[in-house]
Amino acid sequence: MTLAVAAQGDGADKTGQERFAEFLRIYTSLNTRLAYATDLGIPLDWVPGYTPPDPARRRGRSRRAAPTGLEWLPWCLRNGFGSFAEVRVEHVERWLDELAHAGYSDATRGRMLSAVSAFYRKYLLREGLAEQNPAALVDRKTQHLNRSGGTPSVTARWSFEACRALLLAAYLLADRRRDGRRDRAMVEVLIGTGVRAEELVGTNLTDYRRPTGGDIGILRIHGKGAKDREVALAPPVADAVDTYLAERRPPAAPAVRGQVGPTPAEPLFITSTGRRVHVSHVQALLRRLCATFAPAPDAPPPRARWLRDLLGTEQAALIASHLGPLRDTIHPHSARHSYATHAVERGVPPRQVQQDLGHSALSTTEGYLHDEDNIRNSGAHELAPALHRGWLAAP
């Protein structure tokens, strides 16, 4: 990377790598840093706190798309820009057009434009490395990048029955699988609170408390933008967490010679080796629940007799009917949309759901809502039959 990002005078001795690292340190979450680095084209080994995945490990590896050369920094270099101060709005629009011709979706282009805008607004302008933010001058409507507030998200949600099926599946396997109680507690918290997968695995042991047995539990969530919030764990959810904690036995960590400073926070959800559960485990867990109760047609029968007996029950058949359609597409983010939709349908005020999910704007929460009442009460049910009455046979 040779694009000039060094100021004249004070700080002129900083390298480009140091400058990019300063920008990324604005964000406390490693996942957020990686997301910005990926969209901007910053090499991942320049990201503060990033550790390359161990290729010897089967699970827990980060699967990120390989760079295409169309990210902002490589594009600027390829087009001969010597510094970011030289970039004008017409250059940004040409970059967006090239992304569109390369097959990038409007949502992806909008996200990448937002990353460039944040880079200028939060770092380059403040450091005197640019005089304007050309990304902020782009007409997003002309580029088809605008999504009006409250527009429903394309993320699929789970039906109420599918949520129940996931909870029941995790419950039936809790005492049969190693880490089954931990996995059940994670599914309960995910569906029962609508937290993000990153927030779920990012909780620490000291973040959970339950003042009175049989009452609600409270879990502190470390959200995006270094915004903490507390979510309520209904008694069934808190019971599942307590059951897991009763058997949670982290291995004793030997003292490290010369180690000083505070002891690192102890994760709430840990692996068998005492490490924090990786975020990729959340999706793997959901997929495993679906594949266990609704296996693919060509999947071999389970070898364990207890599992064969379990899959032959009416409960398992009910679970399979709801999890089968989700088997190949299930994603933990759908839990947030499901939480928002089902909570509002049961009379919870949208403002409360906004606080539960940690959204800064109500419009973001509204975009999560798939209000089936609006569909059921649509005027189309009255208009279309009237238009066709007398010449089109009723079904």
Side-chain angles (χ1 to χ4, degrees):
M1 293 287 177
T2 59
L3 203 62
V5 287
Q8 302 298 321
D10 292 342
D13 57 337
K14 293 182 180 179
T15 65
Q17 180 174 348
E18 291 171 336
R19 288 285 185 180
F20 291 130
E22 282 184 346
F23 162 66
L24 294 174
R25 285 195 185 96
I26 295 173
Y27 305 97
T28 57
S29 168
L30 177 58
N31 287 323
T32 303
R33 293 175 182 176
L34 289 171
Y36 274 95
T38 300
D39 284 343
L40 291 172
I42 300 173
L44 293 187
D45 56 357
W46 290 10
V47 177
Y50 174 69
T51 302
D54 183 358
R57 295 183 63 190
R58 281 193 308 157
R59 296 184 296 179
R61 285 181 286 177
S62 177
R63 294 178 174 83
R64 296 190 174 270
T68 63
L70 289 176
E71 296 82 6
W72 179 243
L73 300 184
W75 186 88
C76 287
L77 288 170
R78 192 172 66 253
N79 284 272
F81 291 101
S83 74
F84 293 109
E86 300 175 7
V87 179
R88 297 292 181 263
V89 61
E90 56 267 24
H91 302 137
V92 181
E93 291 174 340
R94 179 153 57 91
W95 169 62
L96 291 171
D97 290 339
E98 290 189 22
L99 292 177
H101 288 308
Y104 283 72
S105 69
D106 291 343
T108 300
R109 293 192 304 131
R111 189 192 68 231
M112 295 174 75
L113 177 63
S114 296
V116 174
S117 183
F119 183 42
Y120 273 86
R121 184 179 71 257
K122 295 186 176 183
Y123 188 75
L124 295 178
L125 292 178
R126 294 181 180 181
E127 294 291 319
L129 301 174
E131 296 180 354
Q132 64 174 354
N133 180 358
L137 302 177
V138 171
D139 187 342
R140 298 177 72 97
K141 185 175 181 179
T142 302
Q143 291 284 339
H144 308 290
L145 304 181
N146 266 359
R147 192 181 83 172
S148 60
T151 302
S153 170
V154 297
T155 301
R157 73 160 176 86
W158 305 326
S159 68
F160 188 75
E161 292 74 17
C163 292
R164 286 170 53 87
L166 283 167
L167 295 173
L168 180 57
Y171 169 77
L172 293 176
L173 297 178
D175 295 330
R176 291 287 192 171
R177 295 274 176 84
R178 190 186 72 174
D179 296 325
R181 294 180 179 178
R182 179 205 65 190
D183 289 346
R184 182 202 168 197
M186 294 179 68
V187 173
E188 288 277 359
V189 174
L190 184 73
I191 296 177
T193 65
V195 298
R196 301 176 178 89
E198 293 85 354
E199 295 172 341
L200 176 66
V201 300
T203 55
N204 299 316
L205 191 59
T206 54
D207 292 329
Y208 172 72
R209 69 183 190 277
R210 193 179 193 185
T212 306
D215 200 355
I216 65 169
I218 301 173
L219 186 63
R220 176 172 291 277
I221 299 297
H222 308 289
K224 295 173 65 176
K227 297 178 182 177
D228 287 2
R229 68 185 188 280
E230 289 188 338
V231 298
L233 305 186
V237 180
D239 288 344
V241 175
D242 287 344
T243 301
Y244 156 64
L245 291 178
E247 70 168 16
R248 180 183 179 278
R249 294 291 183 270
V256 178
R257 183 183 297 274
Q259 183 177 7
V260 296
T263 304
E266 189 174 350
L268 176 60
F269 297 109
I270 60 174
T271 66
S272 58
T273 61
R275 292 178 175 271
R276 186 182 298 275
V277 170
H278 193 272
V279 66
S280 63
H281 174 75
V282 182
Q283 184 168 6
L285 167 60
L286 297 175
R287 287 184 173 178
R288 186 166 65 245
L289 291 175
C290 291
T292 298
F293 286 89
D298 57 347
R303 285 184 284 183
R305 180 171 180 176
W306 67 266
L307 184 54
R308 293 197 302 270
D309 293 342
L310 175 60
L311 296 181
T313 63
E314 292 185 4
Q315 275 187 323
L318 179 64
I319 293 173
S321 67
H322 294 297
L323 298 191
L326 306 179
R327 183 182 60 235
D328 299 323
T329 59
I330 193 166
H331 192 280
H333 200 68
S334 293
R336 288 176 65 75
H337 293 252
S338 305
Y339 178 89
T341 302
H342 299 318
V344 169
E345 287 179 350
R346 280 157 180 77
V348 180
R351 283 287 183 187
Q352 181 58 55
V353 177
Q354 174 192 353
Q355 294 179 14
D356 292 346
L357 298 180
H359 288 152
S360 298
L362 181 60
S363 60
T364 305
T365 307
E366 291 172 342
Y368 276 35
L369 301 178
H370 303 252
D371 192 350
E372 293 188 348
D373 285 340
N374 289 341
I375 302 299
R376 288 191 289 265
N377 298 331
S378 172
H381 300 306
E382 297 294 332
L383 181 59
L387 291 172
H388 295 86
R389 190 174 295 121
W391 62 270
L392 185 64

